[in-house]
Amino acid sequence: MFVSWLGGVPYFRPCELGRVLSDLARLPPGSELVADYHVPPDWQDDHAELYVRAVSEVASDGAEPWRSSFTPDGVAALLAENGFVVVTDHSERDSVPAGFWERRDGLRPGSLMRLVHARRPADG
């Protein structure tokens, strides 16, 4: 089974994420999860900080506040508590080949989010 959970994690409190992951831990061994998550402010560059300031007010006003952020070690611990092992965890920049960021339109990788790929280990 493969679960893609993109764009949702930041809207959950850590305790709520634990409950969701606990439910996902019932998936069969070998099941995989890919999710993105926000990193704490001290992991963000200046551009991410500006983006957060601009968007968080709108998100909060629209009843979509961001409620969680994690370091890679923190998200790995949360996943491990719920039966998952991290396969990879990448910054936005490192999630695609470097040539994809050679652009003229100003789009560039941010430091607000990371992508994690985790797997339920096979029963031993």
Side-chain angles (χ1 to χ4, degrees):
M1 171 105 24
F2 181 84
V3 177
S4 174
W5 191 9
L6 301 175
V9 170
Y11 298 103
F12 289 84
R13 291 178 181 88
C15 62
E16 296 165 331
L17 290 169
R19 287 194 298 270
V20 171
L21 290 170
S22 176
D23 286 342
L24 292 176
R26 296 184 204 152
L27 294 173
S31 294
E32 299 183 42
L33 166 69
V34 170
D36 55 359
Y37 64 94
H38 286 183
V39 296
D42 57 329
W43 279 64
Q44 299 169 15
D45 62 19
D46 292 341
H47 296 286
E49 186 179 329
L50 289 171
Y51 177 82
V52 168
R53 272 192 251 151
V55 173
S56 61
E57 283 186 38
V58 175
S60 294
D61 289 346
E64 293 187 7
W66 293 337
R67 296 183 168 145
S68 65
S69 63
F70 298 93
T71 63
D73 287 343
V75 84
L78 182 62
L79 288 163
E81 289 170 12
N82 291 283
F84 286 88
V85 175
V86 172
V87 177
T88 60
D89 186 310
H90 293 290
S91 67
E92 192 173 90
R93 176 179 298 283
D94 295 334
S95 65
V96 297
F100 283 25
W101 298 118
E102 295 172 10
R103 307 173 61 98
R104 294 183 183 175
D105 62 6
L107 182 65
R108 63 177 194 237
S111 65
L112 174 62
M113 302 187 84
R114 292 183 65 87
L115 293 166
V116 65
H117 171 203
R119 182 178 294 129
R120 294 248 314 113
D123 289 333

